[in-house]
Amino acid sequence: MSVIFVLILVSMVVAGGFLSLFIWAVKSGQFEDTMTPSMRVLFDDKKKKKQQNQNINEAETSSSPV
């Protein structure tokens, strides 16, 4: 029977931890910008393709015989 009290106490500590982390996240502005992360995914692909093309061009120019 005493195990149930220990489990209740542990669950309250865990719930309090999650609540404090949620409050900290809200106060630090984690949920203010919801639009930019979804748009960043679209622009990251274009940057990677440009960098890959530049790397290929640099590799071709450096490997060509003079």
Side-chain angles (χ1 to χ4, degrees):
M1 185 68 181
S2 64
V3 173
I4 193 83
F5 295 116
V6 172
L7 290 175
I8 289 172
L9 182 63
V10 168
S11 66
M12 289 177 70
V13 168
V14 170
F18 281 115
L19 181 64
S20 64
L21 285 175
F22 177 73
I23 291 171
W24 170 78
V26 169
K27 285 187 176 181
S28 66
Q30 295 287 322
F31 301 109
E32 288 182 0
D33 186 15
T34 57
M35 187 68 175
T36 302
S38 62
M39 299 295 286
R40 188 179 312 143
V41 173
L42 299 173
F43 296 118
D44 283 345
D45 287 340
K46 291 180 182 177
K47 288 181 182 177
K48 287 181 183 177
K49 287 181 182 177
K50 285 182 180 178
Q51 289 177 349
Q52 287 176 349
N53 288 337
Q54 288 177 348
N55 290 340
I56 290 172
N57 290 337
E58 290 175 1
E60 288 177 355
T61 56
S62 65
S63 66
S64 64
V66 178

